[in-house]
Every structure is written in C-alpha cells, then in structure tokens.
Amino acid sequence: MWWKEGIVYQIYPRSFNDSNGDGVGDIRGIIEKLDYIKSLGVDMIWLCPVYSSPNDDNGYDISDYYNIMEEFGTMEDFDEMLAGMHKRGLKLIMDLVVNHSSDEHAWFKESRKSKDNPYRDWYYWRKGENDHPPNNWMSFFSGSTWEYDETTDEYYLHLFTKKQPDLNWENPKVRQACYDAMKFWFDKGIDGFRMDVISLISKDLSFPDANIDDFQEMIGSYSNGPRVHEFLQEMNREVLSKYDIMTVGEGPGITQKEALDYVGASRKELNMVFSLEHMFLNDGPDGKYDYRPMDFLRFKALFDEWNTALGEEGWGSIFLSNHDFPRVVSRYGNDNEQFRKISAKMLAMLLLTHRGTVYIYQGCEIGMTNVAFQSMDDYRDVEVLNAWKDWQAKGMTEAEFLPRVHTQGRDNVRTPIHWNDSPNAGFTTGKPWIRVNPNYPKINVEEAEADQNSVLHFYRKAIQYRKASKLWTYGTYVQYLKEDQNIFAYQRVYEGQTFLVVLNHSDNTQVVQVSDIARSDQSLTFSFGNYDEAAKFDAETIQLRGWEGAIFEIK
Ligand code: ISL
Ligand code: CA
C-alpha cells in the first residue's frame, strides 16, 4: 500500500525557501527545491496550510479554502508545484483545517452580523451568564475559549486564538461546505490530507465545565466529541472513498484507546492518526512551559504501546517532531559540538526502523537545532506570545521564561531552513519574517552536500536502507531492555528474517548483553550503523559508543 510504504517530508512553507526576497517562504521557493526533496528518497510531501489567511496562526486560520495565500503565490504557482511534484513521483498531502476558520472568513463575517443571519449557526454562539463566558474552558493559546462580541451580545467559541472561531459541525451545511472544499483540491489531483485537530470537530453541546487545573486533562475533555466518528464516516462516504488518497488525522486526546476508532480499516474513517503522546512528555500540569525532563522509559514504552494498540487493524505514524514541537536532535539527542551529528543520525535510524509511515520534518535531515533567542521580541508564534503574557501576569521575568521557550517553543522549528552560509542562510535575500538560527554557517545544506559524513547523506542512506526491505514497513515489532535507561532495542521480524536494532541514547559507551536480546542459538551479523566503523560486538556483548545505533541481522 503506497501510503504505508511511503516516507513523508513535511514542509512549513513560511520558513522553507523565499523566492522573491520579501522574507517569507513561498510556493516558487518550494518549486526551486523539488529536486533536493526528491534526492532525499522520500515519496510524499505534507505541506502545511497555503490557503488565504491573515496569518494569526501562520495559515492555521483560513479565510478562503479555495485560494492561495498572497504571500505564498498564486493558484498558477500551486498548479505548477503540484505538477512538478507529480513529475518527480512525489505525492502531495495538503493540510486540512476545518475545526475552525479565520474570523476573516466570509462565513464568520456574516455569522457575527446578527442573530438571524443565515450563517449564524455556522459557528457556536452562546449567551454568557452574568458577564461571564458560558463555561470555564481555556484556549490552547491562553485565555477563555469564549470571545464576547458586542454586536449581538453573545460569545463565540474558539478553542485556539480568538481569530480562529470553531466551525459548527452540527450544521449539515458546514459539513457540506468543508466536503466541497476537499473535493476541489482532490479534483486538482492532490493525494491526501493531514487533518488538523480533527479530534475536536464534535463538541459536547451542553458545554460542561472542564478541569482546568491540568492542561492535558482539560484539552482531552474537548476531544473525541459525541459525533466525531459519525462526521468522519460521512466525510469518508461523501469524499474520501471516491479518491485514491491518504489521510492522517491530528489531534490531542486521540489516545491509544480511541485510535482504532479513527483508523480501524473496517471503520471507514481515516488511514492514520498522529499519536501526540510522546510529544507531550515534557509538559507539566500547567502546560508546555511548565516543563520537566523526559521520562525515557515512558518514551520507549509509547512506541510499543501504540504498535500494540493499532495492531493489524490500524496503521501508525512514526515521527519525532513537526512544526509544533522542538527540533529532534535538541530534544531527543545531544546538539552539542561533539554529538550533534552522530545523535541526529542515530535518531534517523530510530525513525526509519519503526513500523508505520515515517514523517520527517524539514531541516531535520541536516540536523538543525533549537534556537535560543535572547529576547522575547524575536519570537513570532502566537502561542508563545500569548503564553508569555500569562506567565508574566503570574510574576515571571523574561530571564526566567526564556529557557522554557528555548526548550519547548514552536519557533524552534520555524526558523528558516539553512540552505548555505550566505547571509540569512540563503533562505531570503531580504529580511526574514523570523530571525535565522545563528548556527547556519556551520549547519546548512550546501555544507552537508559537500561532507560525505553529514547528517544529510546519512538520511539518504538510511532511507534507502529502509526501502530495500519491506521488513521495515511491515515486520512485527518487539521491544527488549524496556527498563534500560540508555538503550532503545527492538526486533523486527518479517517472512523468516529477523533484524535487531540497538540505539544508545547517551553520551557514554554502553554494553548490551546479547543474551538479553537474542536466543543463545542465534548469532548476529552487523548490517547498518551510524559510525564509520561497524559497532563492536562478539557472541556475548555489543558495545555501543555515545549515541551509536547499530542494526544486526539475527540468524
Ligand atoms: O502545539 C501544540 C502544543 O504547543 C499542540 O497542542 C497543538 O496546538 C495541537 O496539536 C494542535 O495543533 C494544530 O492546530 C493548531 C495549530 O496552531 C498547529 O500548528 C496545528 O498543528 C490550530 O490550528
Ligand atoms: Ca516570498
């Protein structure tokens, strides 16, 4: 199945490549880099939103589902890009954001005009109670989820910013309008959708108060509403089933228990969902900026648990970052001088040897790192700017808040891609919309192309390695050494072949006992690794240097 075997490369267009010097990445910028993307060996491109948008949340606030954002180009540019992808055998997965629209969408402009406007019930409008919003829900991006609108003396619901009002999916006209927009893009020939916060489209219409003391529990209570599966089945019947496309749903609150309800083959809803559980491992009760160290055992366990939860009926998504979470090497590896490259390579092995469809976020393939701007003025993301206001109100200073942003903020992955060591990393000839990461002279595509030992060349090799055997896509997955604080180990088995993957998640040499990961009558043959020379091993032990990853065939 193409969407099971294919590897996805994710583009955040604003930060990818600017073709016209206005400081904003654009579609022609993507067209210029299609050969580069193809050269990685990937098969699909997930493109973050490129529709018309006032950019309160960088395109996740859509004001016209049928048009391209002016800053990004025109529909002709889009058509050329799509043709360029298809010519190279690359499929295009677009982002579908239909839980909410922009407040500048014509539907919302109408809706807020009067209580009897035909578009009134395209959104959720409610009366307040004694000057209070209808309930205590808190937005993902700070403050109440209810915004008071004077015109009609009512509140509207927005789970994200107040410029992202939630569409009322109870209204069949809303659903039809979304399906029509989807058909428009499918008829153009796109190959699928990544569906933004799809777990939130159905609401409990009694709008009960939530437990707002625990952020995760709170957003969990907005998710998987009573009609979500009915809506998705309808969407599948009306639209998805008519095309040869793939879908992947995103959304907090899709836990292991619910996953199969979304992706079980017999359900006829979606092909895959993103499990965000491992993305939230650093978050504390007060949300992401209340962060704590990652529990490595839990991290490993999640891959195992999700694999079991999805079983044969479902299919997984394997990813370590996207446009919402920190850089892979900074978060799960070690981004210092000594270990950046080797740990980025080891994490590439982790990604490319798991069972499921693999997603690689732009810049990851050259080992780009988190950024540490020294002033909040350099940050752009609405989430972090809103959170900063909140934490300031609680008495926090900038010096105290910055380390939290450096560790957890979304702008870590939204600084421009480093193409070369010219000013602004070759991303733009103008002034970039967000500052570039100052380490671009060392970490950039041109440098990586010239260095045979680079993270980039390793990604290409590891992608080829995965593709050389269906074992990596379809083989069964069994973890070992589950209690080991440094080693991530698992076997993949397919059609009589067995491979063992051992990954050292530490700076220090680790020794693994072969008897812990294989039977005594089996022997190991080295197959693939991230160091120049093969990992050291004998019949009893495997020695892994700092951040070394090794793959053995077991016979
Ligand atoms: O980014 C997060 C935490 O900081 C997530 O909780 C995120 O808000 C959630 O997964 C939903 O994300 C998606 O919808 C948002 C948009 O801002 C994100 O970029 C998108 O991936 C609203 O459309
Ligand atoms: Ca531009």
Side-chain angles (χ1 to χ4, degrees):
M1 189 85 82
W2 62 267
W3 52 266
K4 291 188 174 175
E5 291 165 26
I7 296 173
V8 182
Y9 184 77
Q10 184 191 350
I11 296 184
Y12 194 70
R14 207 170 185 76
S15 307
F16 191 64
N17 184 32
D18 173 21
S19 71
N20 62 352
D22 66 354
V24 175
D26 45 49
I27 290 177
R28 302 217 68 84
I30 297 172
I31 295 174
E32 287 172 9
K33 300 294 181 186
L34 288 179
D35 285 333
Y36 168 75
I37 297 170
K38 178 69 186 174
S39 80
L40 301 174
V42 300
D43 309 278
M44 303 179 237
I45 292 174
W46 154 22
L47 184 62
C48 284
V50 293
Y51 316 93
S52 302
S53 164
N55 279 308
D56 191 49
D57 186 18
N58 289 356
Y60 283 92
D61 47 324
I62 298 172
S63 53
D64 182 353
Y65 289 92
Y66 293 89
N67 256 309
I68 299 294
M69 191 191 303
E70 265 172 51
E71 286 177 303
F72 287 175
T74 63
M75 193 61 89
E76 286 69 45
D77 295 333
F78 176 87
D79 292 339
E80 189 181 325
M81 175 186 73
L82 179 59
M85 289 176 181
H86 284 167
K87 197 180 86 191
R88 291 169 179 81
L90 294 166
K91 293 189 185 283
L92 175 61
I93 312 304
M94 300 240 323
D95 221 305
L96 181 75
V97 190
V98 289
N99 173 69
H100 44 270
S101 73
S102 162
D103 66 335
E104 296 181 36
H105 194 294
W107 301 336
F108 190 75
K109 287 188 190 161
E110 284 301 314
S111 186
R112 77 186 332 171
K113 278 184 185 161
S114 68
K115 288 186 185 168
D116 55 13
N117 187 283
Y119 287 89
R120 186 65 171 180
D121 62 351
W122 282 50
Y123 296 85
Y124 296 100
W125 291 97
R126 292 291 185 277
K127 284 217 125 0
E129 275 175 42
N130 317 319
D131 288 342
H132 287 298
N135 70 12
N136 73 347
W137 289 12
M138 300 287 292
S139 151
F140 279 72
F141 298 156
S142 312
S144 169
T145 56
W146 297 97
E147 179 72 6
Y148 178 69
D149 204 44
E150 252 176 13
T151 322
T152 52
D153 186 32
E154 284 191 341
Y155 292 80
Y156 66 85
L157 178 74
H158 61 90
L159 295 182
F160 295 89
T161 75
K162 61 182 183 209
K163 287 185 67 63
Q164 294 170 297
D166 282 53
L167 281 161
N168 176 12
W169 273 69
E170 301 291 324
N171 182 343
K173 290 187 185 139
V174 168
R175 305 203 296 272
Q176 201 52 53
C178 293
Y179 303 157
D180 288 346
M182 294 170 72
K183 285 184 204 151
F184 172 80
W185 294 97
F186 282 138
D187 289 339
K188 270 189 176 290
I190 71 159
D191 306 287
F193 277 122
R194 173 266 185 194
M195 301 186 184
D196 192 61
V197 288
I198 204 68
S199 56
L200 304 182
I201 56 174
S202 160
K203 272 77 174 171
D204 179 340
L205 298 176
S206 67
F207 291 106
D209 277 342
N211 171 16
I212 56 173
D213 295 331
D214 184 284
F215 187 77
Q216 280 308 323
E217 194 185 317
M218 178 188 78
I219 62 179
S221 69
Y222 307 163
S223 309
N224 311 313
R227 297 183 70 190
V228 64
H229 297 296
E230 179 194 333
F231 295 157
L232 287 175
Q233 283 167 16
E234 180 185 80
M235 178 198 282
N236 190 297
R237 236 178 8 253
E238 303 258 327
V239 190
L240 305 175
S241 60
K242 302 194 182 345
Y243 301 89
D244 176 24
I245 47 98
M246 70 145 241
T247 52
V248 52
E250 187 249 14
I254 306 181
T255 59
Q256 294 164 34
K257 200 158 60 69
E258 284 87 19
L260 269 191
D261 293 343
Y262 286 88
V263 303
S266 61
R267 303 270 305 173
K268 298 204 183 336
E269 294 186 21
L270 304 176
N271 297 134
M272 293 169 267
V273 289
F274 286 120
S275 51
L276 294 176
E277 272 187 279
H278 62 303
M279 292 289 116
F280 292 138
L281 278 180
N282 293 101
D283 301 14
D286 241 353
K288 69 191 289 187
Y289 298 104
D290 172 27
Y291 75 96
R292 46 218 58 211
M294 162 114 44
D295 175 348
F296 180 61
L297 298 189
R298 191 71 203 120
F299 171 75
K300 292 194 290 184
L302 282 171
F303 284 86
D304 198 24
E305 290 174 9
W306 271 90
N307 185 61
T308 307
L310 291 167
E312 292 300 315
E313 257 285 288
W315 191 250
S317 317
I318 305 296
F319 70 105
L320 290 172
S321 76
N322 59 33
H323 63 293
D324 291 335
F325 297 97
R327 283 284 174 197
V328 173
V329 68
S330 302
R331 189 177 196 187
Y332 304 103
N334 182 342
D335 63 7
N336 75 9
E337 179 79 28
Q338 189 185 356
F339 291 113
R340 182 187 65 87
K341 280 166 72 174
I342 203 73
S343 64
K345 292 176 187 176
M346 187 278 273
L347 292 162
M349 291 176 67
L350 191 169
L351 270 175
L352 291 158
T353 55
H354 267 84
R355 182 169 193 272
T357 297
V358 176
Y359 296 77
I360 299 168
Y361 181 69
Q362 66 180 29
C364 189
E365 78 278 15
I366 56 168
M368 279 180 67
T369 66
N370 281 352
V371 72
F373 296 138
Q374 290 310 302
S375 158
M376 283 307 296
D377 295 341
D378 287 327
Y379 286 93
R380 295 289 173 268
D381 178 18
V382 65
E383 180 208 65
V384 78
L385 298 178
N386 286 357
W388 170 218
K389 281 184 216 140
D390 271 10
W391 287 88
Q392 249 175 319
K394 292 189 217 164
M396 189 168 279
T397 65
E398 188 173 6
E400 287 165 336
F401 192 61
L402 279 169
R404 298 167 185 244
V405 183
H406 298 163
T407 317
Q408 290 276 77
R410 304 198 298 184
D411 281 336
N412 278 315
V413 283
R414 297 177 179 190
T415 62
I417 292 299
H418 304 168
W419 296 104
N420 54 48
D421 64 2
S422 71
N424 291 319
F427 163 73
T428 181
T429 53
K431 185 174 182 299
W433 68 275
I434 184 170
R435 285 178 53 193
V436 295
N437 190 321
N439 64 16
Y440 74 85
K442 258 206 216 133
I443 304 170
N444 62 67
V445 172
E446 199 175 282
E447 176 278 330
E449 292 284 9
D451 171 10
Q452 278 316 307
N453 212 6
S454 64
V455 176
L456 176 61
H457 285 298
F458 187 80
Y459 258 91
R460 290 187 176 125
K461 256 200 315 205
I463 287 171
Q464 289 322 314
Y465 183 79
R466 177 182 180 89
K467 292 200 155 173
S469 166
K470 289 206 191 312
L471 170 138
W472 300 110
T473 305
Y474 297 111
T476 52
Y477 176 80
V478 186
Q479 273 191 16
Y480 291 84
L481 301 173
K482 292 184 184 182
E483 300 303 317
D484 195 303
Q485 289 291 351
N486 301 300
I487 300 291
F488 196 169
Y490 42 93
Q491 283 189 9
R492 304 293 313 275
V493 182
Y494 186 69
E495 295 186 340
Q497 270 196 312
T498 302
F499 279 76
L500 168 72
V501 182
V502 265
L503 308 170
N504 177 3
H505 284 250
S506 80
D507 291 356
N508 307 316
T509 298
Q510 303 289 339
V511 179
V512 175
Q513 302 300 320
V514 172
S515 58
D516 287 339
I517 44 164
R519 290 195 319 264
S520 57
D521 60 331
Q522 293 178 315
S523 68
L524 310 184
T525 315
F526 180 80
S527 170
F528 192 80
N530 61 342
Y531 270 77
D532 279 349
E533 330 90 60
K536 290 198 191 67
F537 71 103
D538 57 31
E540 273 88 50
T541 60
I542 304 171
Q543 272 188 50
L544 295 173
R545 291 157 280 192
W547 300 99
E548 179 159 17
I551 303 178
F552 300 92
E553 184 167 8
I554 303 189
K555 277 186 186 146

